[in-house]
Amino acid sequence: MAVPKRRKSRSTTRHRKAQYMKKLKYIKEGLSRCPQCDAVKRPHHICPNCGYYKDAQVVTIKEKTK
Ligand SMILES: [Zn+2]
């Protein structure tokens, strides 16, 4: 089994953990971020903001007109 050569610094550990907790927060709430427009969306669903799903535009979103 592979064993880490050196102990990771407190800074490195905390930095990694912070990134993970940030991601975990969205998973807990049942949400994910759109990679296209960075809006909060439901996982495995088309983004309601830009209409993208898996790097391709699936639906054209009508822009709100006053
Ligand atoms: Zn989007």
Side-chain angles (χ1 to χ4, degrees):
M1 199 181 109
V3 175
K5 197 169 187 178
R6 284 185 195 282
R7 178 185 168 163
K8 295 283 185 289
S9 72
R10 187 192 279 181
S11 165
T12 307
T13 304
R14 286 180 178 178
H15 185 82
R16 192 204 327 108
K17 204 164 186 178
Q19 300 290 334
Y20 178 70
M21 293 308 278
K22 199 175 149 191
K23 194 181 163 190
L24 196 74
K25 194 186 143 200
Y26 286 107
I27 296 163
K28 266 186 181 175
E29 290 168 359
L31 297 166
S32 70
R33 286 266 180 188
C34 174
Q36 189 71 28
C37 65
D38 207 41
V40 177
K41 68 167 193 71
R42 288 164 71 195
H44 311 290
H45 283 256
I46 297 165
C47 174
N49 194 45
C50 61
Y52 268 70
Y53 187 74
K54 282 196 174 179
D55 309 324
Q57 185 133 33
V58 185
V59 181
T60 357
I61 305 294
K62 285 177 190 172
E63 286 196 20
K64 283 179 184 175
T65 46
K66 281 180 184 176

